Amino acid sequence: MPSLIPSLDVIRIDDLCLWAHVGVLEHERRDGQWFRLDLALHLDLSGAAASDALEATADYSLAVNALQVLAAEIRCQTIEHFSERVFEVLESLYGALPMHLRLSKCSPPIAGFNGTVSIERWRNRPF
């Protein structure tokens, strides 16, 4: 499968499970629920590949930790707003990298529905 951004490499974080207080219904914001986050950070990894130096790449453990903190603190209605805050956290860590995310509400409170609801967003597309 071809990359969205052929000139850059990608660090992926997939299936990051986050408990967050996000939803239109008051009980969703009060009680919280599970979300799944998939991220792609597009950057040049050749320096880290050659040097084996953590400083030459984006330390993904920082993103995981910061996003767990965000999820614990956030209170909002829409997954769109939650995704915007995710981008803000990532940009505070890594700068204005091209990024892509998929944020999924694992069990949306919709009668008779047993799936997930997701949004996908991009930030700083180089094309």
Side-chain angles (χ1 to χ4, degrees):
M1 181 172 171
S3 170
L4 293 172
I5 305 168
S7 62
L8 296 175
D9 302 310
V10 178
I11 292 177
R12 293 199 54 87
I13 301 171
D14 291 320
D15 296 322
L16 177 58
C17 294
L18 300 168
W19 186 265
H21 295 85
V22 176
V24 172
L25 302 176
E26 193 261 320
H27 73 83
E28 294 178 286
R29 293 187 307 280
R30 181 189 64 233
D31 302 336
Q33 61 192 302
W34 285 110
F35 291 82
R36 190 184 73 240
L37 181 63
D38 300 320
L39 300 171
L41 305 174
H42 300 267
L43 65 163
D44 181 359
L45 298 176
S46 61
S51 68
D52 194 30
L54 183 58
E55 312 74 56
T57 189
D59 181 349
Y60 53 82
S61 71
L62 299 176
V64 170
N65 292 332
L67 294 170
Q68 289 170 328
V69 169
L70 171 65
E73 295 174 349
I74 196 165
R75 300 286 187 280
C76 65
Q77 292 188 56
T78 66
I79 59 177
E80 292 84 353
H81 181 75
F82 188 12
S83 72
E84 185 66 21
R85 296 289 307 280
V86 168
F87 279 140
E88 291 169 2
V89 165
L90 295 172
E91 286 181 334
S92 74
L93 292 170
Y94 309 119
L97 293 176
M99 296 179 254
H100 172 250
L101 68 74
R102 178 182 312 161
L103 181 59
S104 302
K105 185 182 277 196
C106 296
S107 297
I110 302 170
F113 179 70
N114 192 24
T116 61
V117 173
S118 302
I119 61 167
E120 288 193 54
R121 296 190 61 210
W122 290 260
R123 180 62 61 90
N124 303 316
R125 289 190 201 196
F127 47 92

